[in-house]
């Protein structure tokens, strides 16, 4: 699914890459619906290669619907 990412990122006029506006709530809702209604494993984030490390680390938690141990 595409929730705000793009391959290669969005290049700003100064040549820098814009911060990604990732919609983790949409990813979570679609993953839950995929599991409950269709028996699938969950949604896949399109363009995740352009995410900052902290964004990438959020995807498994959101897709699973569970917080990591210790949280």
């Amino acid at each position: 699914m595409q929730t705000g990412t793009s391959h290669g990122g969005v290049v700003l006029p100064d040549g820098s890459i814009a911060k990604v506006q990732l919609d983790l709530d949409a990813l979570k809702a679609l993953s839950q619906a995929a599991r409950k209604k269709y028996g699938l494993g969950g949604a896949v984030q399109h363009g995740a290669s352009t995410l900052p490390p902290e964004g990438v680390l959020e995807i498994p938690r959101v897709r699973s619907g569970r917080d990591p141990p210790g949280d």
Side-chain angles (χ1 to χ4, degrees):
M1 70 175 264
Q2 212 288 9
T3 62
T5 60
S6 61
H7 287 292
V10 175
V11 181
L12 299 173
D14 67 359
S16 64
I17 303 295
K19 184 178 179 188
V20 175
Q21 299 296 315
L22 182 62
D23 189 344
L24 292 172
D25 291 333
L27 181 61
K28 181 178 181 177
L30 289 170
S31 288
Q32 288 173 342
R35 283 191 298 278
K36 289 180 181 177
K37 188 170 183 177
Y38 301 104
L40 300 173
V44 175
Q45 175 62 47
H46 169 79
S49 63
T50 62
L51 293 174
E54 60 275 9
V56 172
L57 294 173
E58 284 295 302
I59 292 173
R61 179 187 64 78
V62 170
R63 282 192 65 220
S64 71
R66 289 177 253 158
D67 289 328
D71 280 359

